[in-house]
Amino acid sequence: WDARSMLYHAGLNALFVANYGFSPWNCGDNEPSLVRVRLSDDGSRVTAVDGCTSMPVDPGNGGVPVGLTFGPGGQVLVTIDTNSN
């Protein structure tokens, strides 16, 4: 499992984790994916993992998530590198 980027969302008390390749949540075959990781109230423990979403931007060639940030309206914006060089 290759976690590439994480973003903390204070309102949800959760981390969004962008990863590539095989993941424990089996979101997609060698495709970038985004997972929501819920945290305990004090932030010291993971309480649940849900919301796994596959992002097939370049089918067959994958793509690697290289950054996460908040976009308009609090949506999560994922930057994915599809350059094979």
Side-chain angles (χ1 to χ4, degrees):
W1 182 56
D2 193 356
R4 291 296 181 132
S5 190
M6 286 193 273
L7 179 67
Y8 178 68
H9 190 294
L12 296 175
N13 193 31
L15 288 171
F16 285 93
V17 181
N19 64 291
Y20 170 74
F22 172 77
S23 75
W25 306 285
N26 199 20
C27 260
D29 278 340
N30 291 323
E31 297 290 350
S33 60
L34 185 66
V35 179
R36 183 174 67 180
V37 178
R38 295 187 206 177
L39 303 173
S40 61
D41 289 340
D42 65 0
S44 66
R45 295 180 322 278
V46 170
T47 59
V49 176
D50 59 11
C52 189
T53 303
S54 178
M55 300 172 285
V57 263
D58 190 8
N61 295 319
V64 179
V66 293
L68 291 174
T69 191
F70 290 112
Q75 295 178 328
V76 176
L77 175 66
V78 182
T79 304
I80 298 177
D81 180 3
T82 59
N83 186 355
S84 61
N85 293 331

